[in-house]
C-alpha cells in the first residue's frame, strides 16, 4: 500500500490533462473481527478547473481503486459529461508530488473549501 500513502496521480483523457487523484491510507477495524488490524484507502479527485470530489473509501480484499491505479487508470464521473469515465492515471513523484499534495488539500471536502 506504500504508493497510496499520500499519493498523487495525474489524470488524463486522450492525452489531455484533466486533474489529479490523491490517496491516503489509514487503519481500520471492521465487524465482526474488530481485533484484526486492516487498512483502508481514501481517494479524492481534483479537477483541473478547480472542482473537488468527495473522498471515497477503498479496502480489501478487492481494493478496486488501488488495482485500477496500479493498472494506470482511474474511473470517475467526468464533470463535463456527468458520465462514468476511465481516465489514464500516472503516479506523480518528487517535488511535483509534494507541491500538488500541499495545494490540493487531500481530505478537505468540497463543502468545506473556501
Amino acid at each position: 500500500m506504500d504508493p497510496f500513502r499520500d499519493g498523487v496521480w495525474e489524470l488524463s483523457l486522450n492525452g489531455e490533462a484533466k486533474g489529479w487523484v490523491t490517496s491516503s491510507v489509514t487503519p481500520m477495524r471492521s465487524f465482526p473481527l474488530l481485533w484484526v488490524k486492516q487498512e483502508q484507502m481514501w481517494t479524492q479527485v481534483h479537477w483541473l478547473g478547480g472542482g473537488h470530489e468527495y473522498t471515497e473509501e477503498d479496502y480489501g480484499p478487492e481494493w478496486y481503486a488501488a488495482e485500477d491505479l496500479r493498472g494506470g487508470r482511474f474511473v470517475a464521473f467526468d464533470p463535463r459529461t456527468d458520465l462514468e469515465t476511465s481516465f489514464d492515471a500516472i503516479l506523480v513523484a518528487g517535488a511535483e508530488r509534494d507541491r500538488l499534495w500541499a495545494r490540493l488539500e487531500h481530505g478537505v471536502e468540497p463543502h468545506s473549501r473556501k
Side-chain angles (χ1 to χ4, degrees), residues 28-68:
M28 72 175 263
R29 298 187 189 275
S30 63
F31 187 76
L33 304 174
L34 296 175
W35 60 88
V36 175
K37 288 178 94 176
Q38 297 177 328
E39 291 183 315
Q40 62 188 353
M41 180 175 76
W42 294 91
T43 58
Q44 186 174 26
V45 176
H46 312 268
W47 299 110
L48 206 55
H52 304 269
E53 303 296 333
Y54 285 93
T55 55
E56 295 203 16
E57 182 180 29
D58 189 32
Y59 51 88
E62 292 85 8
W63 294 103
Y64 295 115
E67 288 305 311
D68 278 353

Side-chain angles (χ1 to χ4, degrees), residues 16-20 46-51 103:
E16 183 181 337
K18 297 296 182 181
W20 305 269
H46 312 268
W47 299 110
L48 206 55
R103 189 182 113 214

Side-chain angles (χ1 to χ4, degrees), residues 8-21:
V8 178
W9 281 261
E10 181 180 80
L11 298 178
S12 63
L13 187 61
N14 300 320
E16 183 181 337
K18 297 296 182 181
W20 305 269
V21 63

